[in-house]
Amino acid sequence: NTYYKGVAAVRCLDGYDLICVGNSEGFIHTIKNAGSKFKDDILSKIPGVAGIAVLQGYESTLCVGDTNGDVYLLSIENTTDANLVSKFETEDTVPPTCMDTVMRPGKTNESILLVGFGSGKVEGISLTENSKLFTLHAHARWLSGICAHPDCSVFATVGEDCVLNVWEISTDENMKVVFSKKLADNILTGVCFMGENSREVGVVAYDSASLTIYSIY
């Protein structure tokens, strides 16, 4: 059976804002707000893309992680046409679980694509140079959530090892843990910066109705 996984927003090169939704067969559906109604199309299939695991939008670039563990950067022309910009093969076949984009330190108007994997690692990819910048072994178990700070080169990760980590990227792409907390017996599933000036981090856990908030600055 076909199922849907991954959703992201992009602004395609023809100027329209699209919502992109992936499916288990490797196809990506696009939804365009055409005035008073929505128009649904399917992007041309990119050769080699397996089932979609996660999507992330950045301007006119759609970042695609598939079930083989590979990452594709696509330039979205319109609702049906996409061009392959780069493909990044990973060292193993564990699929990516989450993505976000973070400011690149020391670089004006540049961003890094952060790709979290089930193996617990994070890959950093330059969206300007289309090159891999770093590999970070962030968690001992499945990495389930990643969130970039909106104003600086900081991002947070959570995993099934019950740990919340907040990382700072230096100008030479080295990582420094600026905050870490283990929530015993809590399999963490999501993380987000929040509060005034995004000085707090909220986390949620599997089989829990609670939101736990930490002040990190």
Side-chain angles (χ1 to χ4, degrees), residues 6 16 23 64 85 97 128 164 206 212:
Y16 283 98
N23 73 19
V64 180
V85 177
T97 57
T128 303
L164 158 68
Y206 176 76
T212 305

Side-chain angles (χ1 to χ4, degrees), residues 37-81:
K37 62 181 181 179
F38 290 93
K39 186 174 185 293
D40 185 4
D41 277 313
I42 298 179
L43 284 178
S44 51
K45 184 76 160 58
I46 303 299
V49 176
I52 305 299
V54 61
L55 298 175
Q56 174 70 32
Y58 178 75
E59 297 178 351
S60 63
T61 299
L62 181 65
C63 312
V64 180
D66 73 3
T67 52
N68 287 339
D70 298 327
V71 176
Y72 297 78
L73 303 183
L74 309 180
S75 176
I76 307 302
E77 302 286 336
N78 49 53
T79 59
T80 58
D81 298 315

Side-chain angles (χ1 to χ4, degrees), residues 59-155:
E59 297 178 351
S60 63
T61 299
L62 181 65
C63 312
V64 180
D66 73 3
T67 52
N68 287 339
D70 298 327
V71 176
Y72 297 78
L73 303 183
L74 309 180
S75 176
I76 307 302
E77 302 286 336
N78 49 53
T79 59
T80 58
D81 298 315
N83 295 318
L84 176 62
V85 177
S86 296
K87 175 185 177 181
F88 298 90
E89 297 181 354
T90 57
E91 298 173 356
D92 50 42
T93 57
V94 179
T97 57
C98 46
M99 290 179 174
D100 205 351
T101 56
V102 67
M103 295 172 58
R104 187 173 182 182
K107 303 284 187 178
T108 304
N109 298 323
E110 288 194 28
S111 292
I112 297 172
L113 173 67
L114 303 168
V115 187
F117 287 85
S119 58
K121 71 181 180 181
V122 176
E123 300 275 8
I125 297 171
S126 168
L127 291 173
T128 303
E129 301 169 358
N130 297 319
S131 61
K132 188 181 295 186
L133 299 175
F134 59 80
T135 298
L136 171 66
H137 296 279
H139 290 267
R141 294 179 62 186
W142 192 274
L143 195 155
S144 50
I146 193 166
C147 182
H149 193 284
D151 301 318
C152 57
S153 302
V154 170
F155 65 96

